Amino acid sequence: MQKRKLGNSGLEVSALGFGCMGLNFLDGKGLDKKEAIKLLRNAVERGITFFDTAEAYGPYTNEEIVGEALQPFRKDVVIATKFGCKDARPAVGLDSRPETIRAVTEASLKRLKTILNLLVLAALKSV
């Protein structure tokens, strides 16, 4: 698998990433938890090292699945998660205040059960 560097961060990831939204969020359907974990682990075994999730997927449950699935590979993968919606629900509105960023980061770390490589502001609202 080819690798890419992410900007000036020093992080190196697989040229192909794995967007995790469809595991349990898209169209209200998804894989059961065991199948989702198996799929993520198979992706790692095939050389995928970059995984993208968000607190809004589920909401919250996608990060939990990703965290559990990737725990055994934590030193070998890069995890990005997105935030920016009030209560992790896009329909409720946007929230990118500094206190929200801190709270979201702490909650994502707990759900992912690990360190977080990238925190991505998916929606911006003036503060």
Side-chain angles (χ1 to χ4, degrees):
M1 175 73 65
Q2 291 183 354
K3 301 281 185 172
R4 303 264 195 283
K5 291 202 179 207
L6 293 180
N8 296 324
S9 69
L11 293 174
E12 186 175 86
V13 297
S14 54
L16 295 175
F18 192 114
C20 299
M21 182 174 76
L23 294 174
N24 72 326
F25 180 71
L26 190 61
D27 295 331
K29 301 174 187 172
L31 302 174
D32 84 12
K33 185 177 176 180
K34 287 182 184 180
E35 287 299 313
I37 289 170
K38 182 179 176 182
L39 180 62
L40 288 165
R41 290 180 177 172
N42 283 338
V44 174
E45 290 169 5
R46 286 169 174 72
I48 303 295
T49 62
F50 185 45
F51 296 84
D52 173 70
T53 184
E55 64 168 359
Y57 303 164
Y60 310 117
T61 55
N62 197 269
E63 287 181 329
E64 293 168 354
I65 292 168
V66 170
E68 183 175 338
L70 299 181
Q71 191 71 35
F73 308 100
R74 193 57 193 105
K75 293 179 182 178
D76 303 317
V77 299
V78 171
I79 298 173
T81 194
K82 296 179 290 299
F83 77 100
C85 302
K86 287 182 183 176
D87 301 322
R89 298 177 194 279
V92 176
L94 305 176
D95 188 354
S96 58
R97 295 171 297 144
E99 59 270 24
T100 301
I101 296 169
R102 281 189 289 280
V104 164
T105 301
E106 289 174 8
S108 288
L109 287 168
K110 287 179 185 173
R111 288 189 292 272
L112 289 165
K113 300 177 185 165
T114 186
I115 64 168
L116 177 59
N117 300 102
L118 294 170
L119 182 64
V120 179
L121 177 57
L124 180 63
K125 181 178 183 179
S126 298
V127 290

